[in-house]
Amino acid sequence: MASNEIAALADGEAGMTVARALQDSLAPGEVAVDVPLASLGRWRIGGPADVVVTPASAESLAAALAIVTRHGARHIVIGDGSNLLFDDAGFRGVVIRIGRALGGVTFRGDGVVDAGAGVWVPTFVRQVIDAGLSGAVHAIGIPGTLGGLITMNGGSQRKGIGENVVHVDAIDHQGGTHRIDHAALDYSYRASRLQRGDLIVVSARLRFDAGDAGAMRREAISILQSRRAKFPKVRANCGSVFVSDPKLYSLIGPPGLAIERAGLKGTREGGAQISPDHANFIVNNGGALARDVLHLIRLARRSVTAMSGIAMDAEVRHLAPDGTMRPAHEVAEQLDERPHTGA
Ligand SMILES: Cc1cc2nc3c(=O)[nH]c(=O)nc-3n(C[C@H](O)[C@H](O)[C@H](O)COP(=O)(O)OP(=O)(O)OC[C@H]3O[C@@H](n4cnc5c(N)ncnc54)[C@H](O)[C@@H]3O)c2cc1C
């Protein structure tokens, strides 16, 4: 690692030491320095992260956490970055990225499945279907890790994976291990206590009912076809930006329809655009900044509030350079009002 790359770490000497300690203890492919966050998120937006660790095993994850804790280094956890808006200024600290290496799936019988947090959701759902278990099909088209899905209580057709979670095994940022039962996960629509960000999900136990694999395969194909027809093609995006609100739903419909009714479908800011295909998606047409996306989030939220009296909350989370992760609308509402030059 070049010394100027090491110097980019926010905490100066401490940062240099933690980067070197990680590189000394983990395999070369597990640690990268000065990584553009745009390369880690589906929106293809974001400045550099000082260090990214992609543990190749649970042991590497534990070793990395022990090092960052010993050095008091700022760190956050991500999966596939499919629900994250990375800041234009990047992140000053260590990103721990839970990937496929932590993704084994074991069928225990009686509908019980143990799975690693890094398994890709569509792969996981296919395996559950092949095992003749029902309840996961709704998640077939979601392009994230199981750990991200469990944290976001992700799903489709108004279902959430939380319904099937029996417990999660997680590590806190000091390296302590925890088993958290379903009740303590505080699941609600697209939300869970895991969004507090104090725990890293390593694996989970889920339970499903018995089902007809053939019928579920047909259902999965039909869900994928309908998603392909509805959702934006080609352009980088992070899925639905706003969470559906029951009051807004009964008054107007889902967020996409409300944004469309507000006349904003296709609206552009810099390189970002409210998708002309589906107004609850914001696409990166090339060179979009996080600031452009936040501007559109604020515009959509304020316009829908003015029209309906209901303020939509973002499902997408924003990562600030200091590691704060919040629903993106909270950050969008704090954007300054000066005209945006795109600089
Ligand atoms: C095209 C597209 C379509 C989408 N469709 C849907 C959909 O239909 N339904 C839906 O619910 N979502 C959808 N999403 C959003 C997204 O895919 C899901 O929220 C997904 O589950 C996030 O997983 P991830 O691994 O990418 O998490 P990330 O985006 O990396 O992280 C999301 C949050 O989870 C936390 N996190 C991630 N992994 C862990 C872990 N192991 N331990 C603790 N915290 C963790 C992060 O800190 C962050 O707060 C879509 C996204 C895209 C791009």
Side-chain angles (χ1 to χ4, degrees):
M1 176 171 56
S3 59
N4 61 338
E5 288 173 330
I6 298 174
L9 285 158
D11 299 319
E13 282 298 316
M16 285 195 235
T17 317
V18 75
R20 285 206 184 102
L22 286 163
Q23 289 183 320
D24 288 348
S25 299
L26 303 180
E30 292 179 295
V31 185
V33 175
D34 199 19
V35 179
L37 285 169
S39 66
L40 302 183
R42 294 268 167 174
W43 246 324
R44 302 282 169 242
I45 289 174
D50 293 337
V51 184
V52 175
V53 175
T54 310
S57 62
E59 292 70 34
S60 287
L61 171 61
L65 274 173
I67 292 166
V68 291
T69 304
R70 196 163 60 241
H71 291 273
R74 184 187 290 147
H75 56 288
I76 53 123
V77 60
I78 68 166
D80 279 351
S82 65
N83 216 17
L84 285 173
L85 178 60
F86 296 123
D87 198 88
D88 299 317
F91 169 62
R92 306 284 72 79
V94 179
V95 175
I96 297 178
R97 192 178 177 217
I98 305 296
R100 307 293 173 263
L102 298 177
V105 179
T106 309
F107 291 87
R108 301 274 177 212
D110 289 333
V112 174
V113 186
D114 289 337
V119 64
W120 200 48
V121 170
T123 304
F124 174 73
V125 173
R126 272 190 200 102
Q127 290 181 355
V128 171
I129 293 173
D130 289 346
L133 298 176
S134 83
V137 189
H138 65 92
I140 184 71
I142 301 181
T145 62
L146 185 66
L149 192 77
I150 285 173
T151 302
M152 299 306 301
N153 194 15
S156 71
Q157 304 170 329
R158 300 206 60 79
K159 297 191 179 106
I161 195 70
E163 294 165 30
N164 301 94
V165 173
V166 177
H167 63 239
V168 303
D169 287 317
I171 310 184
D172 64 31
H173 291 262
Q174 283 69 48
T177 55
H178 303 263
R179 173 160 293 179
I180 304 143
D181 288 332
H182 176 91
L185 290 167
D186 283 342
Y187 275 119
S188 61
Y189 191 65
R190 303 290 174 257
S192 79
R193 68 84 64 215
L194 295 165
Q195 290 172 14
R196 285 185 216 159
D198 54 342
L199 293 168
I200 298 176
V201 178
V202 180
S203 61
R205 169 161 292 184
L206 301 100
R207 190 190 305 275
F208 300 97
D209 293 329
D212 173 350
M216 287 186 286
R217 279 190 202 108
R218 287 190 290 281
E219 190 188 344
I221 290 167
S222 133
I223 290 173
L224 289 173
Q225 281 169 344
S226 106
R227 289 174 71 95
R228 259 179 226 129
K230 248 187 339 197
F231 295 165
K233 297 151 198 82
V234 187
R235 305 285 183 215
N237 69 77
C238 247
S240 296
V241 171
F242 292 101
V243 193
S244 187
D245 176 300
K247 277 189 274 158
L248 183 69
Y249 196 91
S250 55
L251 194 68
I252 299 177
L257 188 60
I259 297 166
E260 196 177 333
R261 290 266 168 85
L264 295 175
K265 205 172 186 182
T267 303
R268 292 171 192 263
E269 175 72 16
Q273 184 180 24
I274 295 180
S275 168
D277 297 320
H278 188 309
N280 197 21
F281 283 59
I282 294 177
V283 295
N284 178 357
N285 285 327
L289 299 173
R291 199 191 154 84
D292 299 333
V293 173
L294 290 170
H295 177 97
L296 291 175
I297 288 174
R298 185 177 60 180
L299 178 68
R301 188 167 195 260
R302 289 189 179 175
S303 304
V304 170
T305 307
M307 188 175 71
S308 66
I310 297 161
M312 301 181 298
D313 288 346
E315 174 183 325
V316 165
R317 295 163 72 71
H318 171 268
L319 173 68
D322 68 358
T324 311
M325 240 191 239
R326 296 190 280 165
H329 69 271
E330 294 181 11
V331 184
E333 289 295 351
Q334 288 168 358
L335 272 184
D336 63 48
E337 301 284 348
R338 279 169 298 169
H340 169 36
T341 59

